[in-house]
Amino acid sequence: AQSVTQLDSQVPVFEEAPVELRCNYSSSVSVYLFWYVQYPNQGLQLLLKYLSGSTLVKGINGFEAEFNKSQTSFHLRKPSVHISDTAEYFCAVTRYNQGGKLIFGQGTELSVKP
Amino acid sequence: DTGVSQNPRHKITKRGQNVTFRCDPISEHNRLYWYRQTLGQGPEFLTYFQNEAQLEKSRLLSDRFSAERPKGSFSTLEIQRTEQGDSAMYLCASSLDGPPQETQYFGPGTRLLVL
């Protein structure tokens, strides 16, 4: 069975600083990987996804993530954060041909301070 | 397209009562998913439909939970004899059929509080 571990429950950072949110997964088979963002009182919104091909994936709002198969990681990065990036971020995984069922990590709360 | 909608947005009920939630997916999306999210946790998969067929149910979905998707459009999730442990945010998502993995679009959720 797959599992997802987000290594930091909270990440405080100052505005315009770089940020990395860490995600590790475990699976014995190939997987698809996702990052979702959840703003207060809103549903989850897809930031980016890795299906195949280039291991560096670019998403919305200036975010990117790198798939590292040997380290089973899919860390999310942004070179310069804004106050508006304050939100909860979730890493998720699903297996090929499994109906799309997503397994989520526990979430990382990103808090951007002025 | 207005996205995935869920009703009601909030529900407060007393222990032992039955509740029903509704999800309207994005039109033409043939897959529909239900997840449950408790405070401080990521969403947990409950069940999913391909058109009107319920193809998988999580072990989290006890016999008190039932989901339907008649005619392959909207879906309902019913909880019978609610317990305080059922208090959570119930999320619905929809997508096109894969492969490859199609993006799931989430609704705003229904927050349930069982007193």
Side-chain angles (χ1 to χ4, degrees):
Chain A
Q2 306 103 284
S3 68
V4 177
T5 302
Q6 292 184 241
L7 297 161
D8 306 292
S9 59
Q10 294 180 321
V11 173
V13 64
F14 288 106
E15 193 174 20
E16 298 184 6
V19 71
E20 178 180 82
L21 306 184
R22 298 180 292 168
C23 172
N24 285 93
Y25 69 93
S26 65
S27 176
S28 57
V29 298
S30 296
V31 295
Y32 301 130
L33 294 154
F34 306 81
W35 276 98
Y36 279 85
V37 60
Q38 188 174 34
Y39 299 103
N41 299 315
Q42 294 188 27
L44 284 87
Q45 179 183 6
L46 182 70
L47 277 177
L48 47 80
K49 61 184 177 183
Y50 172 77
L51 303 181
S52 64
S54 173
T55 57
L56 184 62
V57 180
K58 293 189 183 298
I60 62 172
N61 300 342
F63 284 93
E64 63 181 32
E66 185 154 19
F67 170 59
N68 188 319
K69 188 174 182 179
S70 62
Q71 297 188 2
T72 61
S73 67
F74 191 54
H75 300 334
L76 181 71
R77 302 186 184 100
K78 186 170 183 177
S80 175
V81 294
H82 304 289
I83 298 287
S84 59
D85 292 322
T86 295
E88 189 88 19
Y89 291 78
F90 294 96
C91 182
V93 64
T94 189
R95 281 173 51 183
Y96 173 76
N97 214 22
Q98 202 179 30
K101 173 178 71 176
L102 292 171
I103 306 300
F104 285 88
Q106 305 92 320
T108 297
E109 183 183 345
L110 176 63
S111 176
V112 182
K113 304 178 186 304
Chain B
D1 198 328
T2 56
V4 178
S5 62
Q6 294 186 245
N7 287 288
R9 293 291 306 276
H10 300 91
K11 179 71 176 178
I12 300 175
T13 191
K14 293 182 179 179
R15 188 176 54 187
Q17 298 294 305
N18 299 343
V19 294
T20 300
F21 310 141
R22 176 178 170 127
C23 171
D24 287 272
I26 294 172
S27 57
E28 89 261 11
H29 279 190
N30 51 2
R31 285 191 176 176
L32 188 148
Y33 305 82
W34 285 99
Y35 295 86
R36 180 172 66 187
Q37 184 179 20
T38 54
L39 278 175
Q41 299 296 318
E44 297 173 296
F45 170 79
L46 292 178
T47 187
Y48 92 96
F49 294 83
Q50 174 106 357
N51 299 312
E52 66 275 9
Q54 188 174 19
L55 296 187
E56 186 174 351
K57 291 171 59 174
S58 164
R59 283 170 290 181
L60 292 174
L61 218 61
S62 74
D63 292 344
R64 296 184 297 106
F65 288 71
S66 61
E68 295 182 341
R69 194 183 182 197
K71 304 178 183 178
S73 56
F74 72 91
S75 175
T76 58
L77 178 68
E78 181 183 17
I79 309 175
Q80 296 182 328
R81 305 181 303 282
T82 53
E83 301 173 355
Q84 289 184 324
D86 297 330
S87 296
M89 176 77 87
Y90 290 83
L91 298 169
C92 175
S94 70
S95 75
L96 293 168
D97 193 4
Q101 178 61 44
E102 294 292 343
T103 297
Q104 291 184 30
Y105 295 86
F106 282 80
T110 295
R111 186 173 295 281
L112 173 66
L113 177 60
V114 182
L115 301 177

